Amino acid sequence: MFEIIRRDGLARIGKLETPHGQLETPALLPVVNPRLVTVPPRELHDVFGFQALITNSYIIRNDPKLNARAKEVGLHEMLDFPGTIMTDSGTFQSHMYGEVEVKNEDIINFQREIGTDIGTVLDIFTEPDWSKEKTAHAVDVTMDRTIEAADLKGKMLLAGVVQGSVFEDLREDCARRLALVDVDVHPIGGVVPLMEQYRFAELADVIVASKKGLDPSRPVHLFGAGHPMVFALAALLGCDMFDSASYAKFARDDRFMFPEGTASLADMKGIHCHCPACQSHSYQEIAAMKPAERAALIARHNLWVSLEEIQRVKRAILEGDLWELVERRCRAHPALLSALRHLAKHQEYLERFEPLSRDNSLLYTGPETLSRPIFLRYERRFFERYKYPDTEVMVAFEEAGKPYARHYQKEMADVMESCDAHFFVASPIGAVPIELDEMYPVAQSLFPEPPDLQTKERIREQMEHLSHEHPYALGVAWDGQATIDTLMMMCQKKPSFDIDLARVRAVCDYQFGKGAADLLLDGKVAIKKSETTGKIRNVLVDGEHILSMRANDGFFTLRPPGAMRLKKGFDAPKLRVTVKDDSIPFNREGKNVFNAFVTECDPEIRPMDEVMVVDQKDDLVALGRAILTREEMFSFRTGIAVKVREGIKL
Ligand SMILES: [Zn+2]
């Protein structure tokens, strides 16, 4: 059973229950070669803190001594490792050496007999240079074997491998078929050649295609991803588990791994590393060691560095800056940067998991930042949902300081003295109406000054798009007093723009959907502001408190009277999560909604969206924020679907 603890987009921190304890993900599983142990498994567990390792059941089965020992005392005692043990099946050997002499049924039974926690199907390793026809056939064989293995697995967890070479449709199809089989973990297989050849853009395609088809409630393991360079990118795309044989392989070639890449001892001028393996040794000492001793030291260094990177990725998921980490890491190598640029192709898919807002500000790291899904979100919601105020003219400011309305307070007042004007800011986020200036990520983002060429181009495109759409009689770019002089000559109507009301309206539509503002604000509107910050706090309509605005991200939390208005105007399932009857008394008490009790959910809901929890008759039960998407709520059997803020008592 797998449960999500925290998520950021597709990336997640989770817990996988195994027969030998809980495995927290993202997790790195060091590969232990039972015939050539570089770092003893006990040390991996006790000193490094690895909760799981992976070893090869095919090698154990083919070695008479290991075979007998594993059957006699079991895998955990044989390796002296108390944590979770995953085993591979011989598929990788078939990739390295051609055919393997074992049947799927036999290797599954063997893995179960020796007490492995997570056994793996003998899938067919689909090579990147295979034809589509050959690959499709291999996927069919892999599927037959997975179905066979699911019947034989017993209490062992089973890893069903996604194959399909570099064909995205075959990967997605394989993943969809696997989702229907009783499998517990999904490795993405056949990707080692892509990583060895630095074909990271194709790797990203393969991961995304697989994720599209898989059941989100099962952890995804990127088979053979053992270099810390790729952990952040793979985690961003939804990989939960990694395994490393590279730590030992690289060490035997005197190669040190770092998140920025690999360095050969011969090329290094010093060690300059303070990991527990390196810290008490000088470069000269390490260079003078016997090869086996040196390999053991470098292997430990490689493990420490890999482990630290996994921790760094976890921290980024918790703190909401994984995109920044990935963008920085992908600058380690041009091939990784290609992969990062390539993610623009998957913007649409990634947007479905993009949270409404994050605790951290969006920091620009380079032109690739502009392809993050949040930019697509803004663009789409602005052009689909935004309702222009009914003013005569529009003045466009350049972005010069945030929040915009405060920065341009005087200029706006000067213009509005004589003109019926509204204001836009040409921002890297898009063409931003002045009243959306406090909303995430408009206020909570930082770009370098002056903007680089790509950012300038984006701003130009967005403003041009706006200029074709806007309904004003006149649109002008701000040019100081000259603008005021021009407008004074041309304007006919009296000033009408009310920024507070406009702010409430614009955020309502952006957050809850087109037309939400009309539903929510139908009546006499009163806006209460904070005396200290001057920011909007509460919105009342006809004396009822309908909305509160959050200071950190500029979005609203719904109050019950506001929810009633939205519910009346928007048909189910919009903005709703419907729950079973037995959940209702708990949710009315303010307790969270668990996935097992969800019967319906708005497919447009994004993580951290405000939602209405309703019963089967569409009566309001509670208000809160969605943690998962609809598909995820239906897929997970445990965990929280909606974090309830307020129960509606009868
Ligand atoms: Zn080190």
Side-chain angles (χ1 to χ4, degrees):
M1 195 86 88
F2 184 59
E3 192 179 329
I4 290 189
I5 309 302
R6 273 292 280 273
R7 67 104 50 88
D8 183 1
L10 284 168
R12 44 205 197 170
I13 292 177
K15 273 182 181 164
L16 176 68
E17 290 293 342
T18 81
H20 282 81
Q22 226 172 38
L23 176 61
E24 189 182 282
T25 65
L28 175 66
L29 287 66
V31 175
V32 170
N33 181 341
R35 284 197 300 217
L36 180 69
V37 172
T38 315
V39 182
R42 176 54 71 174
E43 184 184 341
L44 291 175
H45 184 272
D46 292 357
V47 178
F48 288 86
F50 284 106
Q51 296 171 320
L53 62 75
I54 179 164
T55 187
N56 196 299
S57 65
Y58 179 74
I59 293 174
I60 297 170
R61 188 174 174 274
N62 283 13
D63 182 311
K65 264 169 85 179
L66 290 172
N67 184 317
R69 178 107 179 108
K71 278 184 176 159
E72 189 194 332
V73 301
L75 197 52
H76 289 80
E77 192 176 324
M78 182 176 93
L79 293 178
D80 187 24
F81 188 78
T84 300
I85 299 183
M86 181 171 180
T87 44
D88 197 0
S89 57
T91 301
F92 195 71
Q93 280 63 33
S94 71
H95 156 70
M96 296 291 285
Y97 315 112
E99 284 296 296
V100 288
E101 286 169 16
V102 67
K103 277 167 49 188
N104 179 53
E105 181 185 352
D106 296 338
I107 199 72
I108 294 294
N109 285 333
F110 180 71
Q111 292 177 84
R112 200 191 58 235
E113 278 166 32
I114 62 176
T116 188
D117 295 298
I118 309 170
T120 306
V121 174
L122 184 69
D123 56 315
I124 309 279
F125 194 105
T126 49
E127 303 285 348
D129 60 352
W130 280 13
S131 72
K132 195 162 185 182
E133 201 180 5
K134 186 173 178 181
T135 305
H137 177 69
V139 167
D140 287 342
V141 176
T142 294
M143 282 311 306
D144 290 344
R145 292 184 184 177
T146 309
I147 291 163
E148 179 185 52
D151 278 338
L152 299 169
K153 70 173 187 170
K155 287 192 178 128
M156 176 178 79
L157 302 183
L158 184 66
V161 185
V162 185
Q163 287 290 353
S165 180
V166 291
F167 303 104
E168 289 168 72
D169 53 343
L170 294 184
R171 286 276 178 185
E172 189 174 339
D173 178 57
C174 180
R176 274 189 209 294
R177 289 155 76 185
L178 283 167
L180 304 173
V181 186
D182 182 16
V183 170
D184 308 276
V185 175
H186 286 297
I188 297 175
V191 291
V192 165
L194 296 180
M195 288 186 273
E196 284 172 350
Q197 296 161 31
Y198 278 53
R199 292 161 67 177
F200 296 119
E202 285 163 281
L203 178 69
D205 286 343
V206 164
I207 297 171
V208 171
S210 306
K211 286 291 288 188
K212 282 180 180 170
L214 287 172
D215 179 331
S217 73
R218 298 174 184 172
V220 174
H221 180 152
L222 191 62
F223 247 163
H227 201 297
M229 276 165 81
V230 301
F231 294 163
L233 175 65
L236 180 89
L237 297 177
C239 295
D240 308 289
M241 293 161 69
F242 309 95
D243 63 275
S244 178
S246 317
Y247 76 94
K249 268 193 232 160
F250 281 43
R252 285 196 282 278
D253 298 334
D254 286 342
R255 291 199 291 165
F256 286 73
M257 294 166 132
F258 295 100
E260 308 84 42
T262 312
S264 288
L265 184 66
D267 300 332
M268 292 162 73
K269 310 294 177 211
I271 297 299
H272 309 296
C273 173
H274 289 275
C275 84
C278 297
Q279 63 179 357
S280 52
H281 299 281
S282 69
Y283 180 87
Q284 286 73 16
E285 275 168 37
I286 293 175
M289 281 175 178
K290 291 197 180 107
E293 189 191 353
R294 189 165 60 235
L297 181 143
I298 301 175
R300 287 180 173 82
H301 160 91
N302 289 343
L303 284 171
W304 283 120
V305 167
S306 301
L307 205 53
E308 194 181 340
E309 181 64 2
I310 290 283
Q311 298 297 341
R312 180 69 192 87
V313 169
K314 271 186 197 162
R315 209 177 95 205
I317 297 172
L318 286 172
E319 295 174 6
D321 63 355
L322 185 60
W323 273 103
E324 279 83 0
L325 180 66
V326 170
E327 288 170 357
R328 270 182 254 132
R329 289 295 187 243
C330 284
R331 280 174 168 71
H333 193 281
L336 278 168
L337 192 56
S338 299
L340 178 65
R341 290 182 179 164
H342 196 69
L343 294 188
K345 173 181 157 189
H346 302 297
Q347 221 182 13
E348 186 108 12
Y349 177 67
L350 296 172
E351 192 277 331
R352 285 161 49 188
F353 305 91
E354 174 72 14
L356 181 72
S357 66
R358 292 186 173 82
D359 294 343
N360 257 334
S361 289
L362 184 160
L363 299 187
Y364 179 92
T365 72
E368 296 77 19
T369 300
L370 301 171
S371 298
R372 286 193 206 173
I374 192 74
F375 289 85
L376 176 71
R377 157 99 41 95
Y378 178 80
E379 191 176 323
R380 194 163 283 175
R381 290 196 180 186
F382 170 68
F383 286 110
E384 284 173 8
R385 301 182 175 185
Y386 181 68
K387 197 174 165 191
Y388 294 87
D390 188 22
T391 65
E392 188 177 14
V393 301
M394 182 268 281
V395 178
F397 291 122
E398 280 183 24
E399 184 180 83
K402 291 180 181 185
Y404 303 148
R406 195 163 304 166
H407 181 83
Y408 281 114
Q409 196 169 15
K410 186 179 176 307
E411 289 82 352
M412 286 165 66
D414 289 349
V415 172
M416 284 196 289
E417 222 167 83
S418 49
C419 298
D420 184 27
H422 178 232
F423 307 88
F424 267 84
V425 176
S427 147
I429 306 287
V432 178
I434 196 92
E435 66 268 28
L436 282 180
D437 68 336
E438 288 173 10
M439 182 190 79
Y440 180 89
V442 178
Q444 302 81 353
S445 53
L446 284 168
F447 293 83
E449 284 172 50
D452 54 33
L453 283 178
Q454 288 91 336
T455 311
K456 275 187 189 154
E457 179 59 17
R458 181 187 158 80
I459 294 171
R460 197 193 59 75
E461 270 173 23
Q462 294 283 314
M463 293 308 281
E464 185 159 322
H465 194 168
L466 170 72
S467 70
H468 293 304
E469 297 260 327
H470 80 67
Y472 311 99
L474 182 66
V476 293
W478 172 250
D479 188 24
Q481 190 57 42
T483 305
I484 296 178
D485 295 344
T486 313
L487 291 175
M488 275 175 73
M489 286 192 293
M490 304 187 75
C491 285
Q492 314 279 329
K493 288 165 72 181
K494 292 255 171 294
S496 65
F497 181 62
D498 174 347
I499 190 166
D500 292 334
L501 188 60
R503 187 186 300 286
V504 173
R505 294 198 69 93
V507 174
C508 280
D509 285 341
Y510 186 96
Q511 185 178 358
F512 300 118
K514 192 175 181 158
D518 289 339
L519 294 170
L520 286 161
L521 305 176
D522 182 19
K524 190 175 174 300
V525 179
I527 295 171
K528 307 273 183 217
K529 291 181 167 185
S530 156
E531 281 177 20
T532 47
T533 63
K535 287 185 172 182
I536 294 174
R537 296 295 301 273
N538 297 314
V539 180
L540 287 78
V541 180
D542 293 338
E544 285 185 319
H545 181 189
I546 60 158
L547 299 163
S548 299
M549 190 171 259
R550 298 194 288 259
N552 61 334
D553 65 3
F555 286 112
F556 285 117
T557 51
L558 269 174
R559 301 281 305 132
M564 295 306 285
R565 285 167 177 254
L566 286 176
K567 201 163 70 65
K568 213 169 143 192
F570 286 145
D571 289 340
K574 194 170 168 66
L575 301 175
R576 296 157 171 86
V577 175
T578 313
V579 295
K580 290 179 186 166
D581 289 346
D582 33 354
S583 174
I584 292 164
F586 298 97
N587 306 139
R588 286 202 189 278
E589 288 294 319
K591 296 199 170 77
N592 294 331
V593 173
F594 289 92
N595 290 312
F597 296 96
V598 175
T599 62
E600 190 46 279
C601 172
D602 178 0
E604 292 303 312
I605 279 173
R606 304 293 188 253
M608 304 314 286
D609 263 346
E610 279 289 300
V611 290
M612 304 182 272
V613 179
V614 297
D615 65 14
Q616 301 294 321
K617 285 181 286 185
D618 204 34
D619 284 333
L620 193 64
V621 171
L623 294 169
R625 297 181 81 174
I627 303 295
L628 304 181
T629 65
R630 178 182 190 270
E631 194 191 3
E632 291 166 343
M633 287 181 195
F634 285 144
S635 153
F636 279 93
R637 281 163 292 173
T638 58
I640 298 170
V642 180
K643 207 154 189 218
V644 169
R645 183 183 55 254
E646 180 171 7
I648 311 296
K649 301 239 168 67
L650 277 173

